[in-house]
Amino acid sequence: MGSAISQEIVRDELGKMKEALDNNSLSDVIKQSNINLNLLKNTTLDVAITGVSGVGKSSLVNALRGMTDFEEGAAETGTVETTMNAKGYPHPTFPKVTIWDLPGIGTPCFKAEEYLRKVNFERYDFFMILSSERFTTNDILLAREICNMNKKFYYVCTKVDRRVNSARRQQSFNEERTLETIRKYYCANLAKAGEFWPRVFLICSWDLNKYDFPLLQKTLENDLDDLKRYALITTMPNLSREVLKRKKDAMEGLIWTLSLVSGAVGVIPIPGLSTVCDFGILVGTMIDFCKVFGLDEDSLHRLASRVGKPVPVLRSAIKKSEVANRITREFVTRLWRRSTVCRTMTTAEIFLDFIPVLGSVFGGIGSFATTFYMLKSFLNDVEEDAANVLAIATAPYPSLPPQRKFRRGELKVK
């Protein structure tokens, strides 16, 4: 493992484990930890995308799932209304998260007063109301009804790149001023249509890292509860190092709980399990980490399709960890044997201070420390590899050297 975790950090985590048991029994803490893990595993997130026909709803659905408009499983796009019924598109890696492509509001097929009932609005956690030209009275009526349901909505202006590129032809072009002009236009449009507190996010579905999408993403995270926030963060496209950092922070919150559960497994002598740690927890969690950071074959293929670069080129950036499909018990065993924690586990000095509180069975304490160390180190490596993949994915192709022009009658010699 490239990113070593010191014994002091492991000792600090054991101290936290000791504090958690000061006022609670071990069985109660383990029970609550398992409840929390099951809640995270089974939490659903349903995102509704709506707006008038032709604003790019389907393209945004695909972009949020890390897909192009043209691959298998993508939401169908078109200049006419292609969505006649609410259709859910599960995230390709984490199907508990679903992006819903809703019918265009105000089209001949759907009157505003019937719209909410037809698309079963109670199902969704929050709503994005899209426009590429101007927001309408129907959009405002829809937003008010969502508000009456005590749910969040967000006005999103799509295809902003077209307006920016059009303004770029002007000699006095300034992108920030242009974006501010567009933003003021939409806010004024919303105010005129009856919105009291207009706020608009400017985005381009072809490049979510541009304009206001990073701000929209942070806003969504802040507005969701802890469980829904975790689901959102783990499934968002890897747009920047900042996104990777937020994913790492979310994963780190799991490590302590998983280590505690592993410690309990170590305390209970189950035939076939290691006395040092529960390898099943390590294998499963490392696979999940890789999938969250897009280091699995399916995610790499989708990324290659999106950026137009070969999968082997993207895969070559994975230096310290491994793609999810290749993480096995044997892989984890090799990591364990190469790690400094393996040598530490052969001496119980680090655990002596905690035995009176955590129990005299070395396996339980050792399992907690080993699991924490292994997952913490692996998470550091996964984040670094994901950043390397991102750098290759976003880097321009190297320019070719200029070709020499040959005079008429002169032969090219290969």
Side-chain angles (χ1 to χ4, degrees):
M1 283 188 173
S3 303
I5 304 298
S6 70
Q7 290 189 22
E8 285 303 314
I9 293 178
V10 176
R11 184 180 291 274
D12 288 343
E13 294 304 316
L14 285 169
K16 293 178 183 177
M17 182 179 178
K18 178 178 177 293
E19 291 176 7
L21 297 176
D22 284 343
N23 300 315
N24 300 279
S25 67
L26 177 60
S27 60
D28 287 342
V29 173
I30 297 300
K31 181 179 179 181
Q32 188 59 51
S33 296
N34 278 310
I35 290 174
N36 294 340
L37 290 174
N38 286 330
L39 285 173
L40 284 176
K41 182 179 179 181
N42 294 302
T43 293
T44 60
L45 181 67
D46 293 275
V47 180
I49 310 289
T50 188
V52 299
S53 173
V55 297
K57 299 189 300 292
S58 299
S59 290
L60 181 56
V61 168
N62 295 330
L64 292 174
R65 298 162 68 227
M67 304 176 71
T68 67
D69 289 342
F70 313 106
E71 58 190 283
E72 184 178 354
E76 183 181 358
T77 60
T79 55
V80 297
E81 183 62 42
T82 57
T83 306
M84 305 309 293
N85 296 290
K87 185 172 183 180
Y89 293 88
H91 190 278
T93 307
F94 299 99
K96 292 288 184 182
V97 174
T98 305
I99 315 297
W100 290 84
D101 192 355
L102 303 190
I105 186 170
T107 61
C109 297
F110 293 93
K111 303 299 182 182
E113 61 272 15
E114 300 175 359
Y115 186 81
L116 299 178
R117 177 179 57 81
K118 284 183 176 290
V119 298
N120 191 16
F121 254 50
E122 295 80 5
R123 169 193 292 146
Y124 313 110
D125 293 298
F126 63 85
F127 308 83
M128 296 186 190
I129 304 175
L130 272 54
S131 174
S132 61
E133 297 295 334
R134 64 184 182 84
F135 290 98
T136 66
T137 302
N138 281 337
D139 295 321
I140 309 301
L141 294 175
L142 178 61
R144 288 177 180 171
E145 185 61 29
I146 294 170
C147 189
N148 291 336
M149 295 164 54
N150 295 318
K151 295 190 177 184
K152 297 286 186 178
F153 65 90
Y154 307 89
Y155 292 114
V156 178
C157 172
T158 60
K159 305 181 183 180
V160 172
D161 53 313
R162 295 183 180 181
R163 295 198 174 202
V164 171
N165 290 334
S166 177
R168 201 180 298 275
R169 303 189 188 101
Q170 301 173 9
Q171 189 173 6
S172 59
F173 171 77
N174 177 280
E175 183 168 301
E176 287 302 318
R177 287 201 302 267
T178 299
L179 291 174
E180 188 58 29
T181 299
I182 297 172
R183 194 174 288 108
K184 287 181 178 178
Y185 165 79
Y186 278 101
C187 287
N189 164 225
L190 282 169
K192 185 177 180 180
E195 178 59 67
F196 298 112
W197 302 103
R199 186 185 186 188
V200 179
F201 296 92
L202 311 181
I203 72 165
C204 167
S205 295
W206 294 102
D207 189 350
L208 291 181
N209 206 34
K210 282 186 172 182
Y211 313 129
D212 290 342
F213 186 81
L215 176 60
L216 173 59
Q217 185 175 344
K218 286 184 179 180
T219 303
L220 296 175
E221 292 173 17
N222 291 335
D223 288 347
L224 291 169
D225 63 37
D226 291 343
L227 293 173
K228 302 285 187 180
R229 182 185 306 115
Y230 176 85
L232 178 72
I233 291 174
T234 54
T235 55
M236 277 293 179
N238 295 333
L239 302 174
S240 64
R241 291 295 296 263
E242 183 181 354
V243 171
L244 297 179
K245 176 64 169 60
R246 295 210 297 277
K247 287 190 173 188
K248 181 184 177 184
D249 291 343
M251 296 299 98
E252 283 184 328
L254 283 179
I255 291 178
W256 193 90
T257 302
L258 288 164
S259 301
L260 190 59
V261 171
S262 178
V265 173
V267 170
I268 304 171
I270 301 177
L273 289 183
S274 168
T275 58
V276 178
C277 64
D278 180 2
F279 275 78
I281 288 179
L282 289 177
V283 172
T285 306
M286 288 181 179
I287 290 174
D288 287 343
F289 283 177
C290 288
K291 289 183 176 181
V292 166
F293 284 88
L295 303 185
D296 61 278
E297 288 294 339
D298 289 343
S299 295
L300 289 173
H301 277 80
R302 285 192 296 272
L303 178 60
S305 174
R306 198 166 70 247
V307 301
K309 294 183 179 178
V311 172
V313 172
L314 299 174
R315 194 188 294 118
S316 68
I318 304 174
K319 305 290 187 183
K320 292 187 173 182
S321 58
E322 186 56 276
V323 292
N325 315 61
R326 299 178 184 175
I327 294 178
T328 61
R329 182 185 176 92
E330 290 70 30
F331 169 80
V332 175
T333 302
R334 290 196 301 271
L335 286 183
W336 156 255
R337 287 173 178 168
R338 293 203 308 264
S339 67
T340 57
V341 74
C342 178
R343 295 188 293 274
T344 301
M345 295 301 120
T346 61
T347 61
E349 295 176 1
I350 192 172
F351 309 113
L352 293 179
D353 294 339
F354 303 98
I355 285 178
V357 175
L358 303 181
S360 59
V361 181
F362 173 76
I365 309 172
S367 184
F368 176 92
T370 303
T371 303
F372 174 83
Y373 176 94
M374 296 281 286
L375 293 181
K376 187 86 170 177
S377 297
F378 188 75
L379 181 59
N380 288 344
D381 292 343
V382 167
E383 183 197 23
E384 185 174 335
D385 282 342
N388 292 335
V389 171
L390 176 65
I392 290 180
T394 56
Y397 279 109
S399 57
L400 297 175
Q403 299 294 313
R404 185 169 82 84
K405 295 182 179 180
F406 290 87
R407 294 189 298 273
R408 182 176 295 180
E410 185 178 3
L411 296 176
K412 296 181 181 180
V413 179
K414 293 185 179 180

